[in-house]
Amino acid sequence: MPTSQPPRALFAMNPVHLPELFPPRLMRRLQSSADVDAALVVRDFGDPAIAGALAEAELLLTGWGCPRIDAAVLHRAPRLRVVLHAGGSVRGWLDDAVWERGLAVSSAVQANALPVAEYALAAILFAGKDAFGLRERFRVEQVRPPAGALAGVGNLGRRVGIIGASRVGRRVLELLAPFEFEVALYDPYIDGATATALGAVPLPLDQLLATSDIVSLHAPDTPETYRMLDQRRLALMPDGAVFINTARGALVDPDALTTELISGRISAILDVTEPEPLPARSPLYELPNVFLTPHLAGSLGNELERLGRAVVDEVERLAAGEPLLHAVHHAQLANSA
């Protein structure tokens, strides 16, 4: 049943993001379903000035820059029942106390996966055309390369290896479907039938690396995936292969990757690195076989509204007495981003 009174809600994030997450038309939608002050954005739960608002809050609407929510915060928020995050992962800033008290949690991780998958698709298509390598050559020679130099360039029948059937990985698989690629997938948490249903051939990781022209990484950052692509595994990639990382830099041994890229044996399209940003002395800034971007694949600019819309949708579901669509459960965190 719909609630008789709109729930009291409170923003907690870096306020610079609020106008992009909730532009006026979206803020109006939100305020029709929740009692929320658009001028009050919490940066510090210990601030005495927000004590009253925190004590009355039933919903926390969080985003990037939200302070950590722990047992002390929950003690000052006795009416709090739901945390709705206008961002991706909630790991790292939600204390176990949140789950122990039984709060409902939702994340816009599905919405945030969309632009990352779009970036990955673009990277895959450009990689198959050797767009970045040929651009570097064109910059130097300023003439079109001879036909013989283009042998093997193109996306028809190229093997693309996807590591991780995460939300991003699955969306990438969907986006690849119209193209005539051979798609392989490695994910230890899904079976062969699921991989096939996703449009991919299931392969062990070593075999995927050794047989793919393009490898796109979409696994979560967990203790199990730390440095999963080490020196031995990177060496399995064929000469001329392209490695794409829009996941996290920690999944790859940075020294081993740098060594491979300096050799010129493989190329890379990197939106994330380890560390991030790279130090000024890193050769990756200058290598012609490396296309480096500053962690821009995820939601930014006008794409942030999509994250805010996911939160407003959840608030409207709660107001209508419906369950959260993008609920996050504590047991999921160990194997998710």
Side-chain angles (χ1 to χ4, degrees):
M1 295 290 294
T3 56
S4 56
Q5 296 293 328
R8 299 289 294 274
L10 182 64
F11 290 116
M13 64 183 71
N14 185 332
V16 72
H17 300 309
L18 193 70
E20 293 179 304
L21 288 167
F22 302 98
R25 61 184 177 278
L26 200 54
M27 184 65 76
R28 289 192 292 270
R29 266 186 62 193
L30 174 61
Q31 291 177 324
S32 69
S33 297
D35 181 0
V36 61
D37 183 353
L40 180 59
V41 184
V42 177
R43 293 297 304 275
D44 178 4
F45 286 122
D47 183 352
I50 61 94
L54 183 59
E56 293 297 317
E58 299 167 76
L59 312 179
L60 267 183
L61 311 180
T62 64
W64 295 319
C66 174
R68 185 170 175 80
I69 302 173
D70 56 19
V73 174
L74 296 179
H75 180 72
R76 295 193 292 272
R79 300 185 64 192
L80 187 61
R81 296 293 178 266
V82 181
V83 177
L84 304 177
H85 186 51
S89 175
V90 299
R91 277 201 302 135
W93 60 273
L94 284 189
D95 191 84
D96 285 347
V98 170
W99 314 102
E100 291 166 1
R101 194 165 109 175
L103 268 65
V105 177
S106 173
S107 168
V109 64
Q110 184 71 39
N112 194 48
L114 300 181
V116 183
E118 291 166 358
Y119 178 107
L121 173 66
I124 290 167
L125 293 172
F126 271 119
K129 298 286 282 189
D130 193 23
F132 301 116
L134 290 172
R135 174 185 180 272
E136 291 299 316
R137 180 170 178 169
F138 192 39
R139 190 205 300 265
V140 173
E141 300 177 357
Q142 299 183 8
V143 295
R144 184 176 182 181
L150 302 178
V153 171
N155 285 310
L156 179 60
R158 195 171 289 280
R159 165 66 66 82
V160 177
I162 303 297
I163 301 176
S166 60
R167 290 176 178 86
V168 175
R170 289 173 185 244
R171 180 58 177 160
V172 172
L173 290 168
E174 291 176 2
L175 293 175
L176 289 174
F179 302 96
E180 294 185 64
F181 289 113
E182 293 181 7
V183 182
L185 172 66
Y186 166 74
D187 190 309
Y189 299 103
I190 67 170
D191 57 26
T194 302
T196 300
L198 292 171
V201 176
L203 289 180
L205 180 55
D206 285 5
Q207 186 177 351
L208 180 145
L209 291 167
T211 61
S212 295
D213 302 300
I214 302 167
V215 174
S216 193
L217 181 59
H218 304 290
D221 182 6
T222 67
E224 291 73 25
T225 61
Y226 180 77
R227 301 291 194 265
M228 67 185 297
L229 297 184
D230 55 14
Q231 181 178 20
R232 182 189 70 80
R233 282 184 165 147
L234 289 171
L236 295 173
M237 295 182 66
D239 291 354
V242 181
F243 172 64
I244 301 168
N245 191 1
T246 56
R248 286 294 183 269
L251 278 63
V252 187
D253 182 325
D255 294 333
L257 179 60
T258 299
T259 298
E260 288 283 2
L261 292 171
I262 288 175
S263 76
R265 198 183 67 78
I266 64 173
S267 300
I269 300 170
L270 305 175
D271 188 53
V272 292
T273 56
E274 178 79 2
E276 193 173 278
L278 292 169
R281 66 182 182 276
S282 173
L284 300 191
Y285 287 118
E286 302 295 335
L287 287 176
N289 56 325
V290 176
F291 185 78
L292 192 63
T293 54
H295 202 148
L296 56 79
S299 298
L300 49 76
N302 63 24
E303 295 164 339
L304 293 181
E305 182 179 346
R306 186 187 284 131
L307 307 184
R309 189 167 66 230
V311 166
V312 173
D313 289 345
E314 294 286 51
V315 172
E316 290 175 344
R317 290 186 189 96
L318 291 173
E322 299 172 0
L324 296 172
L325 183 61
H326 300 293
V328 179
H329 303 287
H330 193 224
Q332 298 173 330
L333 296 184
N335 298 321
S336 63

